[in-house]
Amino acid sequence: GAASGIGRALSGCFAREGAHLFLGAHPAEEAKIKTWADELSGRYGVKTWTFPVDLSHADGPETLYWQVNALGLPTDVLVNNAGLIAYGNLHQIPLDRQEQIIRVNALAYFKLMRLILPDMIKRGQGRVLNVSSVSAFQPTAHHAVYGATKAFVQSLSEAVNAELAGTG
């Protein structure tokens, strides 16, 4: 989710600090993410790679992981930021849209963490930043599935943080 919003802002912060970036975005935002990557490279002198991958596809997270991994460079920080939301009552929002939200906002975060954590543990260093929301802490009428996915991310993040204590 580096093409806009929080993901774009975070990638700018990382680039400003000198981090080289693997930037993911939905395939519909391919031109936008490439333009942003070029801007970051030019402004901050960092290397950038772009990966237009749809994380709502069953193999989307794996595709992203393997494409990045093929470069042979370590990932020091995984920023899980992609997100979808739909406003309306649970019984009125199309089921396929709600399933897509769950796949992107929860399952993709889980899968990417599960794929990359062994690499980080093996190296004895790494960080995961899972972008959540205040919706993780309270019921969120009219976007219940979004709130539920953010509660999942919050709980997963806290549990895995405890599990990884002392691993670097």
Side-chain angles (χ1 to χ4, degrees):
S4 61
I6 294 171
R8 181 180 167 106
L10 285 171
S11 61
C13 290
F14 277 99
R16 187 173 54 246
E17 295 298 318
H20 303 299
L21 304 167
F22 308 129
L23 301 170
H26 190 275
E29 298 178 308
E30 184 171 6
K32 190 175 182 180
I33 195 66
K34 285 186 178 187
T35 299
W36 178 236
D38 291 343
E39 185 177 328
L40 292 173
S41 293
R43 185 182 307 164
Y44 300 112
V46 299
K47 294 178 184 175
T48 58
W49 297 265
T50 59
F51 301 90
V53 175
D54 188 342
L55 295 175
S56 73
H57 290 172
D59 65 347
E62 291 86 351
T63 298
L64 177 58
Y65 172 77
W66 288 113
Q67 287 179 357
V68 169
N69 201 45
L71 296 173
L73 302 170
T75 300
D76 296 316
V77 180
L78 167 64
V79 178
N80 270 325
N81 174 70
L84 300 175
I85 192 168
Y87 292 95
N89 294 323
L90 180 77
H91 68 283
Q92 294 172 323
I93 299 170
L95 182 60
D96 61 337
R97 177 64 175 161
Q98 293 182 67
E99 288 175 345
Q100 183 183 38
I101 292 168
I102 293 167
R103 286 191 304 274
V104 171
N105 295 11
L107 191 56
Y109 282 40
F110 157 75
K111 284 183 165 187
L112 286 168
M113 286 176 63
R114 179 60 184 86
L115 289 164
I116 202 162
L117 282 173
D119 300 335
M120 291 179 170
I121 293 166
K122 186 175 182 178
R123 288 193 328 270
Q125 66 180 29
R127 297 285 183 264
V128 175
L129 172 60
N130 287 327
V131 176
S132 187
S133 166
V134 296
S135 296
F137 302 104
Q138 63 188 14
T140 53
H142 311 297
H143 54 277
V145 172
Y146 173 83
T149 63
K150 293 305 179 177
F152 171 87
V153 167
Q154 187 67 34
S155 182
L156 177 69
S157 300
E158 291 180 23
V160 172
N161 184 58
E163 291 175 3
L164 296 178
T167 64

